[in-house]
Amino acid sequence: MLVVMAAYNMVCNSPLRHGHAVKCNSHVKHRMGKQEQPWTESKASRHWLHKQWPWLLCLILLSRLCWCNQQMHFGALEPLLAHSDARIHLAELWSGETADPQKAAGVLLACNDKNASSAAALAVATSLGPSCSHCLHRFDMPSLAAAHGPAQGAELAGHAQKALVTLLQQCSHAVVIVEGIESTPPALLPVFINALSELGHFEDSGKQVPTYKALIIATVVMPTHSLQQGSEEDVGHAVKQHLVRSLVTHGASDAVTNQASALRRRFEHVALVK
């Protein structure tokens, strides 16, 4: 809406629209004893630009802050995907088409080993481009899990939520990469469930920070050779089942099982990495 208002204001006040660019005074005005030159096209254009620079700045900032996950280049990730159907669906997602505009889009990328997982995460990161690097946050789950024990779960969850809140406050259309999501500690599951929920949001100083404009992409390390010839539906079912089984091993309880299943349901897209 702000972009439309800015563009409308600029067009409506354009010297070309009002004819000021071709206006030329036939008489000479005097101001404070000095002669003022006739109103010329270049002078009108400079005057218009001087008045419109706040709107120009607004357009530049809005395009920088708001739409990074709709300006992604799919070329880096496309060669890594095994199935053509997945390439088509993710290409549409990369261009900004989402199935549910009131929910953050969730993507699971199944990778056969850690190297493939790192390559997929890097391909997603590079698809944003340098101007959108501020709209990207990357979680390395195996490293986080190794550095924090179960007793530090609440602290870890707080840090993760704060990182997401800070990211989304400066860039609502952010891209979040969760590398090795199968290693996610139980304390972090509610954070990502909330981020991927319909009309999801976090609370910060009494204000809501919406998550539903973001794109959350997670890699899953698992055996994938047997899935290479499977259908897209079979791949999706197998990858999600593996995710649940892996998450439950980090905390065998009914609460963790329920949260793992809830997280599984929030990923609409599943793709197999070669």
Side-chain angles (χ1 to χ4, degrees):
M1 180 59 72
L2 287 175
V3 174
V4 174
M5 290 172 61
Y8 178 78
N9 181 77
M10 292 171 61
V11 171
C12 288
N13 291 284
S14 168
L16 294 174
R17 182 178 186 273
H18 291 294
H20 296 319
V22 295
K23 179 180 178 181
C24 182
N25 294 336
S26 58
H27 61 283
V28 177
K29 296 181 180 179
H30 294 271
R31 181 180 298 173
M32 297 178 66
K34 294 184 179 180
Q35 250 188 5
E36 182 176 309
Q37 297 298 320
W39 188 270
T40 63
E41 180 176 350
S42 61
K43 186 175 180 181
S45 298
R46 289 196 301 270
H47 178 72
W48 176 76
L49 286 173
H50 178 73
K51 290 181 63 177
Q52 300 305 322
W53 73 264
W55 291 104
L56 288 168
L57 181 61
C58 180
L59 282 173
I60 293 171
L61 289 175
L62 284 171
S63 63
R64 175 179 170 84
L65 294 177
C66 296
W67 301 310
C68 280
N69 69 5
Q70 298 175 5
Q71 301 174 8
M72 298 173 70
H73 303 288
F74 190 57
L77 182 62
E78 184 177 13
L80 302 181
L81 301 179
H83 294 146
S84 58
D85 288 344
R87 288 195 290 269
I88 293 172
H89 294 156
L90 292 190
E92 293 173 350
L93 185 62
W94 257 236
S95 65
E97 297 183 22
T98 58
D100 186 351
Q102 295 184 325
K103 178 191 174 300
V107 179
L108 283 176
L109 299 177
C111 309
N112 191 62
D113 53 38
K114 192 177 187 305
N115 290 335
S117 173
S118 298
L122 180 61
V124 173
T126 55
S127 69
L128 274 170
S131 64
C132 283
S133 59
H134 65 292
C135 283
L136 173 70
H137 189 83
R138 187 169 174 175
F139 290 97
D140 183 347
M141 281 304 167
S143 298
L144 285 175
H148 297 81
Q152 298 172 294
E155 180 183 357
L156 180 59
H159 287 317
Q161 180 166 315
K162 182 60 178 177
L164 290 174
V165 166
T166 302
L167 174 71
L168 293 167
Q169 284 175 331
Q170 68 178 3
C171 184
S172 59
H173 290 72
V175 177
V176 179
I177 301 173
V178 186
E179 189 174 348
I181 193 173
E182 75 284 350
S183 300
T184 302
L188 286 184
L189 294 180
V191 176
F192 290 108
I193 291 171
N194 192 7
L196 282 162
S197 296
E198 187 171 355
L199 292 177
H201 65 273
F202 296 114
E203 296 284 341
D204 183 62
S205 301
K207 296 181 180 179
Q208 291 187 354
V209 180
T211 66
Y212 56 86
K213 297 178 183 178
L215 173 60
I216 299 178
I217 304 164
T219 65
V220 184
V221 177
M222 60 176 291
T224 60
H225 294 304
S226 62
L227 300 176
Q228 295 291 336
Q229 303 303 319
S231 66
E232 190 175 14
E233 183 179 354
D234 291 338
V235 169
H237 180 74
V239 172
K240 289 184 176 184
Q241 286 295 99
H242 176 84
L243 175 60
V244 171
R245 288 195 298 268
S246 298
L247 293 174
V248 169
T249 61
H250 305 305
S253 68
D254 291 340
V256 173
T257 301
N258 292 336
Q259 289 172 352
S261 298
L263 182 62
R264 168 192 184 274
R265 292 192 296 270
R266 282 162 172 76
F267 284 98
E268 306 94 336
H269 306 276
V270 179
L272 199 62
V273 175
K274 295 178 181 177

